[in-house]
């Protein structure tokens, strides 16, 4: 599929993103233990730090929102968070594309050589993806601020983004 791109998310797309989180467990997995569920639009915007952190989406040429993520600076790294693929598009490789494009964009904007993220220990599909992209579990200085359910992972941006051939192949396999 050509025409896939990462772009800033508009507030009009919030309703679509909210619809991807249909239960408490999905919300915990995506937003972490401090993200409120059930949520309303106001609490959702507040808990995803809408005013402070830009969200990014991957859309197809028809404008359909396929995936969402955020990044911000954390201890000199490009920290990735709230990564999610639309339920109907999971398993198609969009997670790999999302992490790669977000890492490229964020690391350039923040002049960072490494990316980091938190992952729930029970989220084995996400952990597997992150490990394939070069992330390794690392001790977190602020471990006390994270529940025992999460692990902190770090990867060099070069390792994540060094698979241009892999990313191009993944894009070509997408339906559309």
């Amino acid at each position: 599929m050509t025409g896939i791109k990462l772009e800033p998310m508009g507030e009009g797309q919030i309703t679509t993103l909210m619809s991807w989180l249909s239960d408490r467990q999905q919300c915990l997995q995506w937003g972490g233990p401090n993200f409120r569920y059930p949520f309303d639009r106001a609490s959702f915007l507040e808990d995803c730090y809408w005013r402070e952190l830009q969200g990014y989406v991957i859309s197809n040429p028809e404008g359909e929102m396929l995936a969402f993520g955020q990044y911000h600076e954390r201890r000199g790294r490009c920290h990735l968070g709230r990564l999610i693929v639309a339920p109907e598009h999971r398993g198609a490789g969009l997670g790999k594309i999302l992490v790669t494009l977000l890492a490229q964009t964020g690391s350039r904007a923040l002049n960072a050589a490494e990316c980091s993220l938190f992952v729930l220990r029970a989220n084995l599909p996400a952990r597997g993806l992150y490990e394939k992209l070069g992330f390794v579990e690392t001790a977190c200085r602020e471990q006390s601020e994270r529940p025992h359910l999460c692990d902190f992972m770090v990867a060099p941006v070069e390792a994540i983004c060094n698979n241009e051939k892999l990313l191009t192949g993944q894009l070509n396999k997408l339906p559309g």
Side-chain angles (χ1 to χ4, degrees), residues 26-171:
Q26 288 177 356
C27 192
L28 169 68
Q29 192 166 297
W30 176 72
N34 297 324
F35 207 97
R36 292 171 277 185
Y37 189 89
F39 48 75
D40 59 23
R41 187 177 182 86
S43 70
F44 192 90
L45 290 171
E46 185 178 323
D47 289 353
C48 70
Y49 299 98
W50 180 258
R51 308 249 182 282
E52 295 88 7
L53 298 178
Q54 174 66 58
Y56 290 85
V57 296
I58 291 180
S59 301
N60 64 17
E62 292 76 38
E64 178 187 11
M65 196 167 116
L66 306 173
F68 170 87
Q70 292 174 305
Y71 72 80
H72 65 276
E73 187 278 330
R74 181 184 187 96
R75 298 205 177 261
R77 294 183 179 109
C78 173
H79 188 79
L80 308 179
R82 296 195 184 79
L83 307 169
I84 189 168
V85 172
E88 63 273 18
H89 294 288
R90 291 182 186 151
L94 284 165
K96 186 181 301 177
I97 295 166
L98 175 65
V99 172
T100 302
L101 293 177
L102 206 54
Q104 287 173 344
T105 301
S107 64
R108 267 189 244 128
L110 300 171
N111 195 26
E114 290 183 315
C115 288
S116 62
L117 52 78
F118 285 102
V119 62
L120 284 178
R121 289 184 180 146
N123 191 348
L124 299 180
R127 177 181 286 280
L129 167 66
Y130 303 148
E131 288 172 348
K132 284 179 187 173
L133 289 171
F135 283 88
V136 294
E137 188 178 331
T138 305
C140 179
R141 292 184 208 156
E142 309 91 19
Q143 194 62 41
S144 62
E145 79 178 47
R146 290 290 164 193
H148 64 281
L149 301 172
C150 291
D151 287 324
F152 183 66
M153 300 182 84
V154 175
V157 172
E158 188 175 297
I160 301 166
C161 300
N162 200 19
N163 286 317
E164 214 52 52
K165 192 177 194 181
L166 180 69
L167 184 62
T168 302
Q170 198 69 49
L171 285 168

